[in-house]
């Protein structure tokens, strides 16, 4: 379907290389590595001009379609390094297949997954000294695609840029693996069925900031989103999927069309199942969650996503009342999923699902 994409490599001069940040203070998305991958799509040529090159600014026409109509999609994935210098990706084909789904929904060009993974392996290997080894830290990779054609008028573009930038990120839980406080939004919603909530379209995130700021001001770290129609069914938490461990089953909202199909969500379902935990996808109402928190039938709640992997929830604030989950403690299942997923990602645990891919 695609001709082989040739990737040119243009390395930084030694004296242009950046000083590497202190691995103890990486934060999230603060430092970017020396090189990036980029390629261009035009209607006449398709994908071309693929290269690994020094990290650099784009020069773009201020009329580029992305700036007005937000035709932009992205992904979030990680590379890991163990003490022996072995580098791993975690289910990278899933991210790029999802990005192609996002591209299709946004009328942007699809790209060959295997060839982009090959280019990404070369990029990460070149940047291997940037990959932190400390447990819990990783090299976060941000593939992005934007409409670059200068034009007004809402329309597909004749010119797109695809690029991947890399940023070393620290352990998400510096102060320990602690439960978070969540604000349930019964007014603002994230995505409606038929919209673009099920793809990683940049505009979704711009639209969520307003509610996130309200929650932060009230002392909550994330927003729990309910469905757009009835404001009754649980959808997601922040930019993560959500799970509830009731006495008899582990539940996550089914992919209804407005929920992002998370790769950590899918991995959690499969891993929990392998523990012998009954894991089901079905609608979950906020009333069921609140009732469970009050009766104790809700044993654990946690969010899943690439950035934090598993993020336990200790408190839910809904319609002016606070509900504590599991006495605000990390539950046994959350802990086990967090540990085992990370061990698999670092190549330190048997990988029965064939999730990790060696980079070098
Ligand atoms: C990226 C994302 C997730 C998590 O997906 P992962 O593949 O697990 O990282 C969940 N919800 C939203 C809205 C997201 O953008």
């Amino acid at each position: 379907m695609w001709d082989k994409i040739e990737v040119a490599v243009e390395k930084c001069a030694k004296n242009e290389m950046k000083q590497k940040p202190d691995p103890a203070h990486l934060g999230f998305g603060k430092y970017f590595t020396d090189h990036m991958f980029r390629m261009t799509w035009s209607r006449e040529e398709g994908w071309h001009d693929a290269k690994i090159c020094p990290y650099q600014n784009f020069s773009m026409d201020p009329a580029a379609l992305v700036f007005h109509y937000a035709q932009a999609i992205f992904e979030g994935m990680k590379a890991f390094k163990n003490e022996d210098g072995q580098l791993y990706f975690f289910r990278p084909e899933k991210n790029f297949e999802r990005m192609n789904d996002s591209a299709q929904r946004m009328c942007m060009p699809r790209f060959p997954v295997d060839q982009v993974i090959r280019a990404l392996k070369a990029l990460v290997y070149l940047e291997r000294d940037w990959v932190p080894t400390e447990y819990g830290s990783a090299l976060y990779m941000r593939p992005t695609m934007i409409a670059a054609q200068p034009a007004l008028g809402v329309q597909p573009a004749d010119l797109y840029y695809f690029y991947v930038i890399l940023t070393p990120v620290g352990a998400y839980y510096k102060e320990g693996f602690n439960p978070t406080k969540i604000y349930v939004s019964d007014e603002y919603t994230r995505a409606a069925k038929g919209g673009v909530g099920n793809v990683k379209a940049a505009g979704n995130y711009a639209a969520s900031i307003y509610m996130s700021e309200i929650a932060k001001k009230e002392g909550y770290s994330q927003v729990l989103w309910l469905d757009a129609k009835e404001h009754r069914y649980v959808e997601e938490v922040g930019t993560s999927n959500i799970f509830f461990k009731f006495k008899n089953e582990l539940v996550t909202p089914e992919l209804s069309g407005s929920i992002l199909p998370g790769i950590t969500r899918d991995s959690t379902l499969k891993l929990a199942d392998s523990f012998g935990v009954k894991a089901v996808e079905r609608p979950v109402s906020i009333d069921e969650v609140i009732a469970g928190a009050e009766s104790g039938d809700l044993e654990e709640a946690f969010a899943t996503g690439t950035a934090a992997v598993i993020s336990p929830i200790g408190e839910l604030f809904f319609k002016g009342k606070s509900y504590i989950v599991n006495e605000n403690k990390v539950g046994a299942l959350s802990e086990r999923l967090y540990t085992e997923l990370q061990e698999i990602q670092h190549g330190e645990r048997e990988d029965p699902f064939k999730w990790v891919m060696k980079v070098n």
Side-chain angles (χ1 to χ4, degrees), residues 227-303:
D227 77 283
K229 192 174 169 198
E230 296 182 67
H231 295 201
R232 185 166 162 224
Y233 292 98
V234 173
E235 299 235 306
E236 305 202 44
V237 57
T239 56
S240 303
N241 295 110
I242 191 162
F243 283 77
F244 301 101
K245 169 69 177 68
F246 294 107
K247 277 223 160 59
N248 297 318
E249 56 182 9
L250 176 68
V251 181
T252 191
E254 63 186 348
L255 298 176
S256 56
S258 47
I259 292 175
L260 198 284
I263 294 156
T264 321
R265 173 187 181 279
D266 181 73
S267 307
T268 298
L269 284 167
K270 294 191 163 86
L271 199 56
D273 194 64
S274 79
F275 297 166
V277 174
K278 187 177 155 210
V280 297
E281 301 171 74
R282 63 163 172 85
V284 191
S285 71
I286 188 68
D287 302 326
E288 180 185 358
V289 172
I290 297 298
E294 287 188 313
S295 71
D297 187 44
L298 176 65
E299 297 175 334
E300 301 180 36
F302 57 89

Side-chain angles (χ1 to χ4, degrees), residues 92-316:
E93 68 289 348
K94 291 281 169 212
N95 290 91
F96 289 121
E97 284 161 11
R98 183 170 70 189
M99 195 169 181
N100 267 333
D101 291 342
S102 300
Q104 187 141 324
R105 178 64 179 83
M106 302 299 283
C107 282
M108 301 169 86
R110 294 168 61 89
F111 54 86
V113 168
D114 56 334
Q115 296 193 47
V116 168
I117 290 178
R118 191 171 46 92
L120 193 59
K121 281 182 174 176
L123 175 63
V124 169
Y125 186 69
L126 177 65
E127 302 288 58
R128 61 193 175 278
D129 291 345
W130 282 89
V131 188
T133 46
E134 196 210 328
Y135 212 73
S137 60
L139 186 71
Y140 188 84
M141 309 187 277
R142 171 51 58 87
T144 307
M145 197 197 301
I146 56 176
Q149 183 196 345
L152 295 188
V154 179
Q155 58 190 296
D158 289 335
L159 182 68
Y160 290 93
Y161 295 157
F162 176 106
Y163 59 94
V164 186
I165 51 176
L166 310 175
T167 166
V169 297
Y172 211 83
Y173 301 103
K174 267 206 296 290
E175 282 88 45
F177 186 51
N178 289 322
T180 52
K181 291 172 68 174
I182 304 295
Y183 188 112
V184 182
S185 172
D186 58 344
E187 181 176 7
Y188 297 99
T189 56
R190 191 189 85 89
K193 286 185 187 34
V196 294
N198 60 340
V199 298
K200 265 181 140 65
N204 288 337
Y205 305 86
S208 73
I209 297 172
Y210 189 81
M211 183 59 229
S212 295
E213 287 299 294
I214 294 176
K216 262 190 225 150
K217 236 178 251 147
E218 301 287 329
Y220 294 86
S221 61
Q222 296 283 350
V223 177
L224 188 153
W225 304 101
L226 300 176
D227 77 283
K229 192 174 169 198
E230 296 182 67
H231 295 201
R232 185 166 162 224
Y233 292 98
V234 173
E235 299 235 306
E236 305 202 44
V237 57
T239 56
S240 303
N241 295 110
I242 191 162
F243 283 77
F244 301 101
K245 169 69 177 68
F246 294 107
K247 277 223 160 59
N248 297 318
E249 56 182 9
L250 176 68
V251 181
T252 191
E254 63 186 348
L255 298 176
S256 56
S258 47
I259 292 175
L260 198 284
I263 294 156
T264 321
R265 173 187 181 279
D266 181 73
S267 307
T268 298
L269 284 167
K270 294 191 163 86
L271 199 56
D273 194 64
S274 79
F275 297 166
V277 174
K278 187 177 155 210
V280 297
E281 301 171 74
R282 63 163 172 85
V284 191
S285 71
I286 188 68
D287 302 326
E288 180 185 358
V289 172
I290 297 298
E294 287 188 313
S295 71
D297 187 44
L298 176 65
E299 297 175 334
E300 301 180 36
F302 57 89
T304 65
T306 295
V309 191
I310 301 285
S311 174
I313 294 169
E315 181 180 338
L316 293 164

Side-chain angles (χ1 to χ4, degrees), residues 10 23 39 53 78 185 247 300 327 332 339 354:
E10 186 192 319
M39 61 180 182
C53 60
K78 281 176 171 173
S185 172
K247 277 223 160 59
E300 301 180 36
E327 298 172 349
T339 305
K354 301 269 176 290

